[in-house]
Amino acid sequence: MSTASDSVPRHIAIVMDGNGRWASKRFMPRIAGHRQGVDVLKRTVRTCVLRGVRVLTVFAFSSENWKRPPDEVSALMDILVVALSRELNQLKKEGVHLRFIGSRKGLSERVQQSLLEAERETAENITLTLNVCFNYGGRWDIANAAQTLSAAGEAITEESLSRHLSTCADGDPDLIVRTGGEMRLSNFLLWQAAYSELFFSEVLWPDFDEAALDKAIAAYASRERRFGMTSAQLPGARNIAS
Ligand code: IPE
Ligand code: IPE
Ligand code: MG
């Protein structure tokens, strides 16, 4: 049973999908959808701050997205660098702490520098942590944690692996939203999703507005998170046993 305090997820993760289809429907190049998607992310960050969400983790570029046509891949890199240089001051003012999660391998020097600068410039902010998963895959995350542990000669346990995942500082997402109508994780936060509530929206990411986000949050508030227990065992449950 949800109480007022847990009706808003502390950590929301979003697979921002549907940019290409949004653009194609308008006879525009796919990249126009990605550009529109950046504006939607800005507004989503603001809404999350207003709703009291503490961590927002978004999937911006997957390990598998390298398979896209090279001009789309390079446009996505450019959009990231331009968006960061345009938006950094505003994000700083809003108290957003930016972190980039994923492999830096394969990213150009220019992209890597812009990620590092954004992380450095916002490191002191505490209102909301925005994790941008870029060149990220859930399998990469798990393999990376296992390699770190094995290099250090540490035992691989559920607890030690969790501590070495890229999101370890933020805890697992309470709610994972995927826009764009597909019902799959596409290699997003595989380990961390173990007990996340899932919400799939038909809305394409460039159309994902405040009302659409509130719908996901409302769905979350109506769920009962049992973590393997029974309803009667949950805090606040009425004791109906005599
Ligand atoms: C998500 O939108 C953004 C990225 C994967 C970079 P898509 O580009 O996958 O859009 P659709 O799914 O083709 O509509
Ligand atoms: C997932 O979307 C990755 C991002 C949103 C960045 P994709 O569009 O790449 O996923 P698939 O290929 O449909 O599974
Ligand atoms: Mg897609």
Side-chain angles (χ1 to χ4, degrees):
M1 198 178 297
S2 293
T3 61
S5 60
D6 62 18
S7 60
V8 173
R10 198 189 72 82
H11 182 173
I12 299 184
I14 307 183
V15 181
M16 308 184 292
D17 195 24
N19 296 349
R21 280 165 282 163
W22 181 91
S24 300
K25 276 193 349 194
R26 287 163 179 75
F27 306 102
M28 285 150 77
R30 292 176 55 85
I31 204 66
H34 297 315
R35 284 210 186 90
Q36 189 67 22
V38 174
D39 278 346
V40 172
L41 178 55
K42 269 188 329 200
R43 277 186 272 130
T44 303
V45 167
R46 230 163 272 155
T47 310
C48 282
V49 169
L50 291 173
R51 300 291 182 271
V53 173
R54 302 306 306 272
V55 183
L56 175 64
T57 300
V58 295
F59 206 5
F61 189 85
S62 76
S63 316
E64 290 74 29
N65 287 146
W66 293 106
K67 295 178 200 163
R68 294 192 177 197
D71 57 343
E72 180 166 342
V73 171
S74 76
L76 284 164
M77 300 290 156
D78 286 346
I79 286 175
L80 175 72
V81 172
V82 170
L84 284 177
S85 75
R86 268 199 205 142
E87 304 302 333
L88 200 53
N89 279 335
Q90 187 59 29
L91 288 167
K92 275 163 82 173
K93 275 192 212 143
E94 288 172 1
V96 176
H97 176 192
L98 258 170
R99 281 183 58 224
F100 291 90
I101 289 181
S103 172
R104 303 275 159 121
K105 272 192 211 137
L107 301 180
S108 71
E109 195 55 36
R110 181 179 75 117
V111 170
Q112 291 194 44
Q113 283 311 318
S114 100
L115 305 190
L116 284 173
E117 189 199 346
E119 288 182 330
R120 197 175 49 233
E121 294 277 318
T122 62
E124 307 297 321
N125 287 347
I126 55 164
T127 307
L128 176 112
T129 298
L130 173 61
N131 293 317
V132 179
C133 295
F134 199 87
N135 197 13
Y136 175 86
R139 289 176 176 178
W140 165 84
D141 205 355
I142 296 166
N144 201 43
Q147 279 160 16
T148 308
L149 288 169
S150 118
E154 270 191 65
I156 296 180
T157 64
E158 290 191 21
E159 186 276 325
S160 67
L161 254 179
S162 296
R163 257 193 300 115
H164 286 83
L165 292 174
S166 54
T167 54
C168 63
D170 302 312
D172 293 343
D174 300 295
L175 170 67
I176 297 181
V177 175
R178 181 171 184 142
T179 66
E182 310 293 358
M183 296 198 213
R184 53 178 172 254
L185 289 176
S186 301
N187 203 9
F188 188 46
L189 302 177
L190 298 179
W191 178 286
Q192 298 90 329
Y195 269 102
S196 304
E197 295 298 327
L198 306 180
F199 184 85
F200 296 100
S201 168
E202 288 295 324
V203 178
L204 302 173
W205 176 249
D207 289 327
F208 195 77
D209 57 9
E210 200 174 287
L213 179 63
D214 283 338
K215 216 167 146 185
I217 294 175
Y220 172 83
S222 74
R223 309 267 179 94
E224 182 180 69
R225 304 186 75 191
R226 290 191 288 277
F227 300 99
M229 292 180 279
T230 68
S231 293
Q233 290 175 292
L234 299 177
R238 279 179 303 142
N239 187 358
I240 52 169
S242 55

